[in-house]
Amino acid sequence: EGPGPIWLDNVRCWGNESALLQCPAAPLGVSDCHHREDASVICAAPFLLRLAGGPGRCAGRVELLHAGSWGTVCDDGWGLLDAAVVCRQLGCGAARKALRSAHFGPGIGPIWLDEVKCSGREAALWHCPAEPWGKHNCDHQEDAAVICT
């Protein structure tokens, strides 16, 4: 239980907000709660996504940390909407290019995602429709990459 005022109540986020205060809720400071109802979260590690093998932080092969191992994304169906999610998630601006065929060299480790089909509005790459984690028909010569603005 926390001390002090309860600032938010009846919070109803959609999941695409960039801040908790953007979620619909009761007016700030208006609450019928007690501290025994305090909400909590457990966050995942902050760097579950990276770009590797490229010329800088915002261009490279797409790699994901899952189950303790860094792995890649297959380029089957890979396009600008998928790249847009990656670039936004990394704070790298808009997607300039969605690259295929291991453009920045083949990765190593598991191929975590295949047949990724983002709408472009997802908050994270792993929210996009795709085959189940680790299920693929690819090799590392088909690793996906991006170039962001």
Side-chain angles (χ1 to χ4, degrees):
E1 295 180 6
I6 296 174
W7 291 110
L8 289 174
D9 191 8
N10 297 320
V11 179
R12 296 173 306 282
C13 296
W14 289 98
N16 59 351
E17 299 87 356
S18 59
L20 189 59
L21 289 175
Q22 293 176 341
C23 298
L28 196 62
V30 175
S31 172
D32 62 358
C33 293
H34 301 281
H35 282 295
R36 67 178 178 273
E37 300 172 86
D38 286 350
S40 61
V41 299
I42 297 174
C43 297
F47 301 108
L48 297 175
L49 175 70
R50 68 183 180 191
L51 299 178
R57 186 180 83 76
C58 293
R61 179 179 53 256
V62 180
E63 294 189 349
L64 297 158
L65 180 63
H66 178 68
S69 297
W70 283 100
T72 62
V73 176
C74 182
D75 67 8
D76 291 350
W78 187 252
L80 272 176
L81 293 175
D82 310 308
V85 172
V86 169
C87 292
R88 185 176 58 254
Q89 186 177 354
L90 291 173
C92 289
R96 277 198 8 222
K97 292 186 179 180
L99 303 162
R100 303 169 75 138
S101 303
H103 182 86
F104 290 108
I108 57 172
I111 297 172
W112 284 127
L113 293 177
D114 188 13
E115 302 294 343
V116 177
K117 291 177 180 54
C118 299
S119 70
R121 295 183 305 270
E122 293 87 355
L125 185 62
W126 43 86
H127 293 164
C128 299
E131 290 292 321
W133 284 85
K135 184 174 188 283
H136 64 86
N137 59 355
C138 302
D139 61 43
H140 284 298
Q141 295 302 317
E142 298 172 82
D143 285 342
V146 300
I147 297 176
C148 309
T149 60

Short mmCIF file of all heavy atoms in Angstrom, two decimals, residues 15-18 44-51 57-58 62-66 70 73 78 80-95 113 116 118 120-128 133 146 148-149:
data_model
loop_
_atom_site.label_atom_id
_atom_site.label_comp_id
_atom_site.label_asym_id
_atom_site.label_seq_id
_atom_site.Cartn_x
_atom_site.Cartn_y
_atom_site.Cartn_z
N GLY A 15 -3.94 0.91 -24.65
CA GLY A 15 -2.65 0.25 -24.85
C GLY A 15 -1.76 0.97 -25.83
O GLY A 15 -0.57 0.66 -25.94
N ASN A 16 -2.28 1.95 -26.56
CA ASN A 16 -1.44 2.68 -27.51
C ASN A 16 -1.08 4.07 -27.01
O ASN A 16 -0.46 4.84 -27.72
CB ASN A 16 -2.14 2.76 -28.88
CG ASN A 16 -3.48 3.46 -28.80
OD1 ASN A 16 -3.98 3.74 -27.72
ND2 ASN A 16 -4.08 3.72 -29.94
N GLU A 17 -1.46 4.39 -25.78
CA GLU A 17 -1.10 5.69 -25.20
C GLU A 17 0.39 5.71 -24.85
O GLU A 17 0.97 4.69 -24.50
CB GLU A 17 -1.92 5.96 -23.93
CG GLU A 17 -3.41 6.01 -24.14
CD GLU A 17 -4.10 4.64 -24.06
OE1 GLU A 17 -3.39 3.62 -23.92
OE2 GLU A 17 -5.33 4.60 -24.15
N SER A 18 1.00 6.88 -24.95
CA SER A 18 2.42 6.99 -24.60
C SER A 18 2.61 7.39 -23.14
O SER A 18 3.73 7.38 -22.64
CB SER A 18 3.13 7.97 -25.52
OG SER A 18 2.53 9.24 -25.44
N ALA A 44 8.69 -5.54 -18.29
CA ALA A 44 9.70 -6.36 -18.94
C ALA A 44 10.99 -5.55 -19.05
O ALA A 44 10.99 -4.33 -18.89
CB ALA A 44 9.22 -6.77 -20.33
N ALA A 45 12.08 -6.22 -19.32
CA ALA A 45 13.36 -5.52 -19.51
C ALA A 45 13.20 -4.46 -20.59
O ALA A 45 12.49 -4.68 -21.58
CB ALA A 45 14.44 -6.52 -19.89
N PRO A 46 13.84 -3.30 -20.43
CA PRO A 46 13.58 -2.19 -21.35
C PRO A 46 14.13 -2.39 -22.76
O PRO A 46 13.67 -1.72 -23.67
CB PRO A 46 14.26 -1.01 -20.66
CG PRO A 46 15.29 -1.62 -19.78
CD PRO A 46 14.74 -2.95 -19.37
N PHE A 47 15.07 -3.24 -22.97
CA PHE A 47 15.68 -3.38 -24.30
C PHE A 47 15.44 -4.77 -24.85
O PHE A 47 16.33 -5.60 -24.91
CB PHE A 47 17.17 -3.04 -24.25
CG PHE A 47 17.43 -1.64 -23.78
CD1 PHE A 47 17.96 -1.40 -22.54
CD2 PHE A 47 17.10 -0.58 -24.59
CE1 PHE A 47 18.18 -0.10 -22.10
CE2 PHE A 47 17.32 0.72 -24.17
CZ PHE A 47 17.85 0.97 -22.92
N LEU A 48 14.21 -5.03 -25.23
CA LEU A 48 13.87 -6.32 -25.81
C LEU A 48 13.97 -6.30 -27.32
O LEU A 48 13.73 -7.29 -27.97
CB LEU A 48 12.44 -6.70 -25.40
CG LEU A 48 12.22 -6.87 -23.92
CD1 LEU A 48 10.76 -7.14 -23.62
CD2 LEU A 48 13.07 -8.00 -23.39
N LEU A 49 14.29 -5.14 -27.88
CA LEU A 49 14.37 -4.95 -29.32
C LEU A 49 15.60 -4.12 -29.62
O LEU A 49 15.88 -3.16 -28.92
CB LEU A 49 13.10 -4.23 -29.81
CG LEU A 49 13.01 -3.84 -31.27
CD1 LEU A 49 12.85 -5.07 -32.15
CD2 LEU A 49 11.84 -2.90 -31.49
N ARG A 50 16.32 -4.50 -30.67
CA ARG A 50 17.48 -3.71 -31.08
C ARG A 50 17.69 -3.88 -32.57
O ARG A 50 17.14 -4.79 -33.20
CB ARG A 50 18.74 -4.13 -30.32
CG ARG A 50 19.23 -5.54 -30.68
CD ARG A 50 20.43 -5.95 -29.85
NE ARG A 50 20.89 -7.30 -30.22
CZ ARG A 50 21.78 -7.98 -29.53
NH1 ARG A 50 22.29 -7.48 -28.41
NH2 ARG A 50 22.15 -9.18 -29.93
N LEU A 51 18.50 -2.99 -33.12
CA LEU A 51 18.94 -3.10 -34.51
C LEU A 51 20.43 -3.39 -34.49
O LEU A 51 21.19 -2.69 -33.81
CB LEU A 51 18.63 -1.81 -35.28
CG LEU A 51 17.15 -1.44 -35.34
CD1 LEU A 51 16.95 -0.14 -36.08
CD2 LEU A 51 16.33 -2.56 -35.99
N ARG A 57 22.45 3.31 -34.51
CA ARG A 57 21.41 2.82 -33.62
C ARG A 57 20.06 2.65 -34.31
O ARG A 57 19.24 1.84 -33.90
CB ARG A 57 21.27 3.82 -32.46
CG ARG A 57 20.34 3.39 -31.38
CD ARG A 57 20.24 4.42 -30.27
NE ARG A 57 19.31 5.48 -30.55
CZ ARG A 57 17.98 5.36 -30.49
NH1 ARG A 57 17.45 4.21 -30.15
NH2 ARG A 57 17.19 6.38 -30.75
N CYS A 58 19.81 3.39 -35.38
CA CYS A 58 18.48 3.41 -36.02
C CYS A 58 18.48 2.76 -37.40
O CYS A 58 17.62 3.07 -38.24
CB CYS A 58 17.96 4.84 -36.06
SG CYS A 58 17.60 5.49 -34.41
N VAL A 62 16.81 -6.50 -37.47
CA VAL A 62 15.88 -6.49 -36.34
C VAL A 62 16.16 -7.71 -35.46
O VAL A 62 16.12 -8.84 -35.94
CB VAL A 62 14.42 -6.48 -36.82
CG1 VAL A 62 13.47 -6.47 -35.62
CG2 VAL A 62 14.15 -5.29 -37.73
N GLU A 63 16.44 -7.45 -34.19
CA GLU A 63 16.69 -8.53 -33.24
C GLU A 63 15.84 -8.34 -31.99
O GLU A 63 15.64 -7.21 -31.53
CB GLU A 63 18.17 -8.58 -32.86
CG GLU A 63 19.06 -8.96 -34.02
CD GLU A 63 20.50 -9.23 -33.65
OE1 GLU A 63 20.90 -8.92 -32.50
OE2 GLU A 63 21.23 -9.75 -34.50
N LEU A 64 15.34 -9.46 -31.48
CA LEU A 64 14.48 -9.47 -30.30
C LEU A 64 15.10 -10.35 -29.22
O LEU A 64 15.65 -11.41 -29.53
CB LEU A 64 13.12 -10.07 -30.65
CG LEU A 64 12.28 -9.33 -31.67
CD1 LEU A 64 11.27 -10.27 -32.30
CD2 LEU A 64 11.59 -8.18 -30.99
N LEU A 65 14.97 -9.92 -27.97
CA LEU A 65 15.37 -10.76 -26.84
C LEU A 65 14.13 -11.47 -26.33
O LEU A 65 13.15 -10.83 -25.93
CB LEU A 65 15.98 -9.90 -25.73
CG LEU A 65 16.43 -10.65 -24.48
CD1 LEU A 65 17.57 -11.62 -24.82
CD2 LEU A 65 16.88 -9.67 -23.41
N HIS A 66 14.14 -12.77 -26.39
CA HIS A 66 13.02 -13.59 -25.94
C HIS A 66 13.57 -14.84 -25.27
O HIS A 66 14.52 -15.44 -25.78
CB HIS A 66 12.12 -13.96 -27.13
CG HIS A 66 10.97 -14.82 -26.78
ND1 HIS A 66 9.91 -14.38 -26.01
CD2 HIS A 66 10.69 -16.11 -27.08
CE1 HIS A 66 9.04 -15.36 -25.86
NE2 HIS A 66 9.49 -16.41 -26.50
N TRP A 70 18.88 -13.60 -27.78
CA TRP A 70 18.66 -12.68 -28.89
C TRP A 70 18.46 -13.49 -30.16
O TRP A 70 19.18 -14.44 -30.43
CB TRP A 70 19.85 -11.73 -29.07
CG TRP A 70 19.86 -10.65 -28.04
CD1 TRP A 70 20.61 -10.60 -26.90
CD2 TRP A 70 19.07 -9.46 -28.04
NE1 TRP A 70 20.33 -9.47 -26.20
CE2 TRP A 70 19.39 -8.74 -26.87
CE3 TRP A 70 18.11 -8.93 -28.91
CZ2 TRP A 70 18.80 -7.51 -26.56
CZ3 TRP A 70 17.51 -7.72 -28.59
CH2 TRP A 70 17.86 -7.02 -27.44
N VAL A 73 14.14 -11.76 -36.93
CA VAL A 73 12.80 -11.78 -37.51
C VAL A 73 12.94 -12.17 -38.97
O VAL A 73 13.77 -11.61 -39.70
CB VAL A 73 12.14 -10.39 -37.39
CG1 VAL A 73 10.79 -10.37 -38.08
CG2 VAL A 73 12.00 -9.98 -35.93
N TRP A 78 7.61 -9.04 -44.74
CA TRP A 78 8.16 -7.86 -44.06
C TRP A 78 7.97 -6.61 -44.93
O TRP A 78 8.30 -6.63 -46.11
CB TRP A 78 9.64 -8.07 -43.77
CG TRP A 78 10.27 -7.01 -42.92
CD1 TRP A 78 11.15 -6.07 -43.34
CD2 TRP A 78 10.08 -6.80 -41.52
NE1 TRP A 78 11.52 -5.28 -42.27
CE2 TRP A 78 10.87 -5.71 -41.15
CE3 TRP A 78 9.30 -7.42 -40.55
CZ2 TRP A 78 10.92 -5.22 -39.85
CZ3 TRP A 78 9.34 -6.95 -39.25
CH2 TRP A 78 10.15 -5.86 -38.91
N LEU A 80 6.92 -1.94 -44.85
CA LEU A 80 7.05 -0.64 -44.19
C LEU A 80 6.18 -0.51 -42.93
O LEU A 80 6.59 0.19 -42.00
CB LEU A 80 6.73 0.49 -45.16
CG LEU A 80 7.92 0.99 -45.98
CD1 LEU A 80 7.48 2.05 -46.99
CD2 LEU A 80 9.03 1.53 -45.09
N LEU A 81 5.02 -1.14 -42.90
CA LEU A 81 4.20 -1.05 -41.69
C LEU A 81 4.88 -1.75 -40.51
O LEU A 81 4.84 -1.27 -39.38
CB LEU A 81 2.81 -1.64 -41.93
CG LEU A 81 1.93 -0.86 -42.91
CD1 LEU A 81 0.63 -1.61 -43.16
CD2 LEU A 81 1.67 0.54 -42.41
N ASP A 82 5.54 -2.87 -40.79
CA ASP A 82 6.29 -3.58 -39.75
C ASP A 82 7.49 -2.74 -39.30
O ASP A 82 7.73 -2.57 -38.11
CB ASP A 82 6.79 -4.94 -40.29
CG ASP A 82 5.68 -5.74 -40.94
OD1 ASP A 82 4.64 -5.93 -40.31
OD2 ASP A 82 5.86 -6.14 -42.10
N ALA A 83 8.20 -2.19 -40.27
CA ALA A 83 9.36 -1.35 -39.97
C ALA A 83 8.94 -0.11 -39.18
O ALA A 83 9.67 0.34 -38.29
CB ALA A 83 10.07 -0.94 -41.26
N ALA A 84 7.76 0.43 -39.47
CA ALA A 84 7.27 1.62 -38.76
C ALA A 84 7.12 1.35 -37.27
O ALA A 84 7.46 2.19 -36.43
CB ALA A 84 5.95 2.09 -39.36
N VAL A 85 6.62 0.17 -36.93
CA VAL A 85 6.46 -0.20 -35.52
C VAL A 85 7.82 -0.29 -34.85
O VAL A 85 8.03 0.23 -33.75
CB VAL A 85 5.66 -1.52 -35.39
CG1 VAL A 85 5.65 -2.02 -33.95
CG2 VAL A 85 4.24 -1.33 -35.90
N VAL A 86 8.79 -0.92 -35.51
CA VAL A 86 10.13 -1.06 -34.94
C VAL A 86 10.76 0.32 -34.72
O VAL A 86 11.28 0.62 -33.64
CB VAL A 86 11.03 -1.92 -35.87
CG1 VAL A 86 12.48 -1.85 -35.45
CG2 VAL A 86 10.54 -3.35 -35.89
N CYS A 87 10.71 1.17 -35.74
CA CYS A 87 11.34 2.50 -35.63
C CYS A 87 10.70 3.32 -34.52
O CYS A 87 11.40 3.96 -33.73
CB CYS A 87 11.24 3.23 -36.97
SG CYS A 87 12.25 2.47 -38.27
N ARG A 88 9.39 3.31 -34.45
CA ARG A 88 8.70 4.07 -33.40
C ARG A 88 9.03 3.50 -32.03
O ARG A 88 9.31 4.24 -31.08
CB ARG A 88 7.19 4.05 -33.64
CG ARG A 88 6.43 4.93 -32.63
CD ARG A 88 4.96 5.03 -32.90
NE ARG A 88 4.29 3.75 -32.91
CZ ARG A 88 3.86 3.12 -34.01
NH1 ARG A 88 3.98 3.67 -35.20
NH2 ARG A 88 3.27 1.95 -33.92
N GLN A 89 9.05 2.19 -31.90
CA GLN A 89 9.33 1.56 -30.62
C GLN A 89 10.73 1.91 -30.12
O GLN A 89 10.94 2.08 -28.92
CB GLN A 89 9.18 0.04 -30.76
CG GLN A 89 9.30 -0.71 -29.46
CD GLN A 89 9.09 -2.20 -29.63
OE1 GLN A 89 8.76 -2.69 -30.71
NE2 GLN A 89 9.30 -2.94 -28.57
N LEU A 90 11.68 2.06 -31.04
CA LEU A 90 13.05 2.39 -30.66
C LEU A 90 13.29 3.90 -30.55
O LEU A 90 14.40 4.31 -30.24
CB LEU A 90 14.02 1.79 -31.68
CG LEU A 90 14.12 0.27 -31.65
CD1 LEU A 90 14.97 -0.22 -32.81
CD2 LEU A 90 14.68 -0.22 -30.33
N GLY A 91 12.27 4.70 -30.81
CA GLY A 91 12.44 6.15 -30.76
C GLY A 91 13.30 6.67 -31.89
O GLY A 91 14.03 7.65 -31.73
N CYS A 92 13.21 6.03 -33.04
CA CYS A 92 14.06 6.35 -34.20
C CYS A 92 13.29 7.04 -35.32
O CYS A 92 13.74 7.03 -36.47
CB CYS A 92 14.73 5.09 -34.72
SG CYS A 92 16.02 4.45 -33.64
N GLY A 93 12.14 7.60 -35.04
CA GLY A 93 11.39 8.31 -36.07
C GLY A 93 10.63 7.36 -36.98
O GLY A 93 10.26 6.25 -36.58
N ALA A 94 10.42 7.81 -38.20
CA ALA A 94 9.64 7.04 -39.18
C ALA A 94 10.53 6.00 -39.86
O ALA A 94 11.75 6.11 -39.87
CB ALA A 94 9.03 7.97 -40.21
N ALA A 95 9.88 5.02 -40.48
CA ALA A 95 10.61 4.01 -41.25
C ALA A 95 10.88 4.55 -42.65
O ALA A 95 9.97 4.99 -43.33
CB ALA A 95 9.79 2.73 -41.33
N LEU A 113 10.44 -14.52 -34.91
CA LEU A 113 9.16 -14.17 -35.52
C LEU A 113 9.20 -14.38 -37.02
O LEU A 113 10.21 -14.14 -37.68
CB LEU A 113 8.79 -12.71 -35.22
CG LEU A 113 8.47 -12.36 -33.78
CD1 LEU A 113 8.18 -10.87 -33.64
CD2 LEU A 113 7.30 -13.18 -33.26
N VAL A 116 5.21 -11.66 -39.92
CA VAL A 116 4.76 -10.51 -39.15
C VAL A 116 3.85 -9.65 -40.03
O VAL A 116 4.18 -9.39 -41.19
CB VAL A 116 5.97 -9.69 -38.65
CG1 VAL A 116 5.52 -8.45 -37.91
CG2 VAL A 116 6.87 -10.55 -37.77
N CYS A 118 2.06 -6.29 -39.19
CA CYS A 118 1.67 -5.13 -38.38
C CYS A 118 0.71 -4.23 -39.15
O CYS A 118 0.80 -4.13 -40.38
CB CYS A 118 2.90 -4.30 -38.01
SG CYS A 118 4.14 -5.17 -37.05
N GLY A 120 0.80 -1.11 -38.29
CA GLY A 120 1.57 0.13 -38.19
C GLY A 120 1.22 0.92 -36.95
O GLY A 120 1.91 1.87 -36.60
N ARG A 121 0.16 0.54 -36.25
CA ARG A 121 -0.28 1.27 -35.06
C ARG A 121 0.12 0.58 -33.76
O ARG A 121 -0.10 1.14 -32.68
CB ARG A 121 -1.80 1.45 -35.09
CG ARG A 121 -2.28 2.32 -36.25
CD ARG A 121 -3.79 2.53 -36.21
NE ARG A 121 -4.56 1.29 -36.17
CZ ARG A 121 -4.99 0.63 -37.25
NH1 ARG A 121 -4.73 1.07 -38.45
NH2 ARG A 121 -5.68 -0.48 -37.11
N GLU A 122 0.67 -0.61 -33.82
CA GLU A 122 1.01 -1.35 -32.60
C GLU A 122 2.10 -0.61 -31.81
O GLU A 122 2.96 0.04 -32.38
CB GLU A 122 1.50 -2.75 -32.96
CG GLU A 122 0.44 -3.65 -33.55
CD GLU A 122 0.28 -3.53 -35.05
OE1 GLU A 122 0.95 -2.67 -35.67
OE2 GLU A 122 -0.52 -4.28 -35.62
N ALA A 123 2.06 -0.78 -30.49
CA ALA A 123 3.04 -0.15 -29.61
C ALA A 123 4.37 -0.89 -29.60
O ALA A 123 5.41 -0.33 -29.28
CB ALA A 123 2.49 -0.07 -28.18
N ALA A 124 4.35 -2.17 -29.96
CA ALA A 124 5.57 -2.98 -29.96
C ALA A 124 5.47 -4.05 -31.04
O ALA A 124 4.37 -4.49 -31.37
CB ALA A 124 5.78 -3.64 -28.60
N LEU A 125 6.60 -4.46 -31.56
CA LEU A 125 6.62 -5.45 -32.63
C LEU A 125 5.92 -6.74 -32.21
O LEU A 125 5.22 -7.36 -33.00
CB LEU A 125 8.06 -5.74 -33.06
CG LEU A 125 8.24 -6.67 -34.25
CD1 LEU A 125 7.60 -6.08 -35.51
CD2 LEU A 125 9.71 -6.96 -34.49
N TRP A 126 6.08 -7.14 -30.95
CA TRP A 126 5.48 -8.40 -30.50
C TRP A 126 3.98 -8.30 -30.30
O TRP A 126 3.34 -9.28 -29.99
CB TRP A 126 6.17 -8.93 -29.24
CG TRP A 126 6.45 -7.89 -28.22
CD1 TRP A 126 5.60 -7.44 -27.24
CD2 TRP A 126 7.64 -7.15 -28.08
NE1 TRP A 126 6.20 -6.47 -26.51
CE2 TRP A 126 7.47 -6.26 -26.99
CE3 TRP A 126 8.85 -7.13 -28.77
CZ2 TRP A 126 8.45 -5.37 -26.58
CZ3 TRP A 126 9.83 -6.25 -28.35
CH2 TRP A 126 9.63 -5.39 -27.27
N HIS A 127 3.39 -7.12 -30.52
CA HIS A 127 1.92 -7.00 -30.53
C HIS A 127 1.34 -7.23 -31.92
O HIS A 127 0.12 -7.30 -32.07
CB HIS A 127 1.50 -5.61 -30.03
CG HIS A 127 1.81 -5.37 -28.60
ND1 HIS A 127 1.82 -4.12 -28.04
CD2 HIS A 127 2.15 -6.21 -27.58
CE1 HIS A 127 2.14 -4.20 -26.77
NE2 HIS A 127 2.34 -5.47 -26.47
N CYS A 128 2.18 -7.31 -32.92
CA CYS A 128 1.72 -7.52 -34.30
C CYS A 128 1.35 -8.99 -34.51
O CYS A 128 1.98 -9.89 -33.94
CB CYS A 128 2.83 -7.16 -35.29
SG CYS A 128 3.35 -5.44 -35.21
N TRP A 133 5.88 -17.59 -31.45
CA TRP A 133 7.31 -17.37 -31.22
C TRP A 133 8.10 -18.64 -31.56
O TRP A 133 7.77 -19.73 -31.10
CB TRP A 133 7.57 -17.00 -29.76
CG TRP A 133 7.19 -15.57 -29.46
CD1 TRP A 133 5.96 -15.12 -29.14
CD2 TRP A 133 8.05 -14.44 -29.49
NE1 TRP A 133 6.00 -13.75 -28.96
CE2 TRP A 133 7.27 -13.31 -29.17
CE3 TRP A 133 9.41 -14.26 -29.76
CZ2 TRP A 133 7.80 -12.02 -29.10
CZ3 TRP A 133 9.93 -12.98 -29.68
CH2 TRP A 133 9.14 -11.89 -29.36
N VAL A 146 15.70 -2.78 -40.96
CA VAL A 146 15.05 -1.49 -41.19
C VAL A 146 16.09 -0.38 -41.26
O VAL A 146 17.19 -0.50 -40.73
CB VAL A 146 14.03 -1.14 -40.07
CG1 VAL A 146 12.94 -2.17 -39.98
CG2 VAL A 146 14.70 -0.96 -38.74
N CYS A 148 15.59 3.63 -40.33
CA CYS A 148 14.67 4.63 -39.78
C CYS A 148 15.21 6.03 -40.05
O CYS A 148 16.41 6.22 -40.27
CB CYS A 148 14.51 4.45 -38.28
SG CYS A 148 14.10 2.77 -37.74
N THR A 149 14.29 7.02 -39.97
CA THR A 149 14.74 8.41 -40.10
C THR A 149 15.46 8.83 -38.86
O THR A 149 16.28 9.66 -38.84
CB THR A 149 13.57 9.36 -40.36
OG1 THR A 149 12.66 9.28 -39.29
CG2 THR A 149 12.88 9.03 -41.66
#
